[in-house]
Structures are given as structure tokens and as C-alpha cells.
Amino acid sequence: MRIFDIIAKKRDGGELTKEEIEFFIQGYTAGAIEDYQASALVMAIYINGMSKRETADLTLAMAHSGDMADLSGINGVKVDKHSTGGVGDKTTMVVAPLVASFGVPVAKMSGRGLGHTGGTIDKLESIRGFQTAMPIEKFIENVNTIHIAVVGQTGDLAPADKKLYALRDVTATISSIPLIASSIMSKKIAGGADAIVLDVKFGDGAFMKTLEDAKTLAKAMVDIGEMVGRKTVAVISNMNEPLGLAIGNALEVEEAVATLKGNGPRDFETVCVELAAQMLCLAGKGSTDTLKEELHTRLQNGVAFEKFKEFVAAQGGDVSVIENLDLLPSAESVEPIYAKKSGYINKIEAEKLGIASMLLGGGRAKKTDLIDYGVGIILNKKVADFVNVGDKIADLYVNDRSKLADAVSLIDEAFSYQEERLEEETLIAGIIRGDEN
Ligand code: URA
């Protein structure tokens, strides 16, 4: 087999065999296929697409290109969740304890933040003592006893995807549905998931700008799940503004705790309950409608919060911090930001807010940067609210003032206004299941 022939076949619109796809992925991971050849093939895929079968084969080849997490020691159906969001996305901190409170195992590997996106691991580490690394035996034991453990990614999961993603990033080939879908799904499969719930965002702050594109991506991932024997459901949610009000590590822990006690922002609670219901449904715990009712109850009656405390304690975190949020890392000053225009807010660009939070020290411009856990942004207004010039739209939590001016102008730019009252936007715009295709 020659990579030259595989490139030519895809260039001419042919369908690659499983063997050809495996040859490419194994050769590229091992360094036997050069970047310029991989670039040509990826561009041919970008232009000519891939069939469902090819996409599933690519996913499995990438999943098997490195370590495969062995979670067979965990009892029960392991349902993982993945969000294509990134700014202000603290859903794992609420969804994981909610699901675990039903005795369904949550064995999650999460990431750190980079650029404008935050990461669950950084957020959890703002709780004093919280350990996000542990031996696999301890990880499995925690899941089997309290049904929840969340750790940073270990091992060499899907190295082919890492290499290909970096190549796509510099060859204008990121935005291809089969390539995105196989990239995301390969990591979930290598991470040991039996079933997967995807939170696919659409809107200005999302990877997929339109609802149509988000649905197409969701369908492609659900199709992969079907073809590789992992039950997969996608929730399509609106990202024309950040979820909830908080952006920044400790600030997001605070919002997650408020939500776990039944006092969170409505949009955030809605998305968390939807995701948890879909996960529990895949784990065989009943219908989503009945589950949603019960999930709201568990946020109100303290069950979810108790599970979160148990989880924090099991990973070495100081539970008194969760009981008294004043003990979380904090900022020296709080700078209010005021509206420069009057009107109905029609958009709050999440990416700009993510960059502003990063500039304040809440995120990393490069992987080695240290994080300031106490800084970030709390929104005072949401899309569809009316504001007059001078109304407060956000508070910035600041320690290092050197980047304050840049952060403030980004926040001003993130808000857009219009004169007419806005229809309330649908938050959950659809659920895509395997049997609907
Ligand atoms: N996220 C991923 O993990 N992969 C992509 O290709 C795009 C977004």
C-alpha cells in the first residue's frame, strides 16, 4: 500500500477502505508518512468528505493510535459527556455529581484551559487541596465506591488526533464535519466511554455558528457512535451568550455550588439537567422527562450538593471551602463595567469574554502559564435584557491591573445591542439520537 495512491483515490472522490485509513493513521502517528502527504490527504477529505463508514473507521483508527483507558474494573454503564463549548462551561461540576447521585458511574477525564477556553481541571484545582491526578487503581476505587472521579488526562490518548489536529490548524482544514466528528469521538472512545452525551453548541460563541451546522456535526457524531457500538445522544444548545453568569475558575466553582444548591442561573441549570437526564437515560435509569423532574428536586433538596462534597473530599479537597465560599481564591478589586449604549442586548460574545478573562490571568495564553484562580467576570445582564447607557453590565474581578484596559475594551466589544425587543431564544434547540437517522 502507498500513501500516494490513497491521496489520489480521495482526491478523485473515492471511498477509502478501513485498511487504507488504518495505514494512513498508523503511518502518520509513527512518522513514516510526512506532514506534506498528510496535509494533501486531509485537504482531499475536506473537499470530498467521507462516508459514514469511512468516518467511523477513521475514528477507531485514531482512538487505537495510543493508549486505550481500561475502565473494565468499574461496575455499570460508564456514560461520558463532551461539550463543544468552552467559555464559562462549568457543566461537569454540576452534571457529574447529579448523575453519580443515582449510583451511575462517572469516570471522567477532563482537560485544562488554553486560550479563551477554560478547563474543568483548572476550575476544580481552585478548591484548596483538590487532587486531579491519582493512580488508576484509586480512580477506579473512587468510582466504584462513591460513583464519581474526575481527573486530568493521563496516558497518550489518541496521539494521531493530536498530530492531525495540529496539522489541520495550520492548513485551513479544521472546519470539516467528518474530521471534527472523528477527532472528538476518537478521544471519548480512547477514554473508555460505554455511552456518550454530546453538548453541541451553536451560535456566535461556538465552534458551529449556525443551528444547521451544529445539527450536521451532532448527527455525524451520533452516527459514529452507532457504527462503533457506543450509544450516543447529542443535545444542541444555544451559545449566543455564555452559559450562566460566571467566567473564571473560582467564580465558576461558586456558580456551580449555587446551582448544586438550587440557586443557580436558570439557563445553566436547564442545560445541566438536560445533559444529566440524557446521561441517566443512556444508563437505563428511565425516561428523560421523569428524570428531569427528579434532577431538579435533587438540586433543591441538597442531594446533589452532598454528592459534590463527597467528591471533593475523596479527591483531597478542603470541604470547608465549599461550605464557605469566601475561602476560595479571590481578587483584590472588583471593577464594574457600564453599558456604552442603550438597547436590548442581542449578543454577548463568549469568545471575547474568554479572552478578557485570560488577559486578567484566569487562563493560559500558552500551556506553561500559571493561572490566577480568583480573577474573572460576572455578568450582570444577559441577552434580551434592556439596558440604558451607564447600567452595569458586568463586574471584573482583578488582581493584576496591567491588562485591565485591554480586558475592559474586549468586554465592551462583546456586547451588542438593538432597538427592538428580542424574542427569547431557544436554549435547547434539539436532541439528536441514533434511532432518528
Ligand atoms: N474539537 C476537537 O477535539 N477536534 C476538532 O477537530 C474540533 C474541535
Side-chain angles (χ1 to χ4, degrees), residues 214-332:
K215 281 190 173 163
T216 309
L217 175 62
K219 272 208 168 77
M221 291 193 281
V222 169
D223 284 343
I224 293 173
E226 290 286 292
M227 301 214 37
V228 304
R230 308 294 200 285
K231 280 192 278 180
T232 304
V233 171
V235 175
I236 315 280
S237 68
N238 189 321
M239 215 16 196
N240 276 323
E241 63 182 333
L243 201 51
L245 301 167
I247 297 161
N249 297 286
L251 294 173
E252 291 187 42
V253 170
E254 228 175 298
E255 189 165 86
V257 166
T259 308
L260 285 161
K261 291 164 122 178
N263 303 318
R266 193 175 51 90
D267 62 336
F268 178 53
E269 177 170 325
T270 303
V271 171
C272 288
V273 164
E274 183 70 55
L275 293 171
Q278 297 296 344
M279 289 172 76
L280 290 164
C281 181
L282 286 184
K285 291 288 171 187
S287 78
T288 51
D289 284 345
T290 317
L291 285 163
K292 278 190 223 175
E293 246 177 73
E294 175 60 21
L295 285 160
H296 282 294
T297 304
R298 288 184 187 211
L299 293 175
Q300 295 295 335
N301 68 9
V303 168
F305 183 54
E306 279 310 310
K307 183 50 79 176
F308 185 68
K309 286 201 290 187
E310 210 180 337
F311 158 57
V312 168
Q315 296 201 205
D318 182 346
V319 176
S320 67
V321 174
I322 297 307
E323 284 164 339
N324 175 9
L325 296 170
D326 290 341
L327 299 176
L328 277 168
S330 59
E332 275 163 23

Side-chain angles (χ1 to χ4, degrees), residues 82 161 165 168 174 179-181 183-184 187 207:
H82 176 83
D161 172 64
Y165 189 87
R168 287 164 55 211
I174 288 283
L179 293 176
I180 300 173
S183 164
I184 292 172
K187 287 174 283 211
F207 212 70

Side-chain angles (χ1 to χ4, degrees), residues 331-338 340 352-353 355-362 375-378 394-413:
E332 275 163 23
S333 66
V334 180
E335 300 286 332
I337 311 281
Y338 300 105
K340 297 242 167 20
K352 292 203 167 113
L353 298 184
I355 298 171
S357 175
M358 181 191 79
L359 290 178
L360 294 173
V375 302
I377 303 162
I378 299 283
D395 276 320
L396 294 199
Y397 287 69
V398 186
N399 280 326
D400 171 5
R401 303 183 74 80
S402 66
K403 296 277 171 48
L404 181 59
D406 290 344
V408 170
S409 41
L410 272 167
I411 292 178
D412 283 336
E413 279 172 34

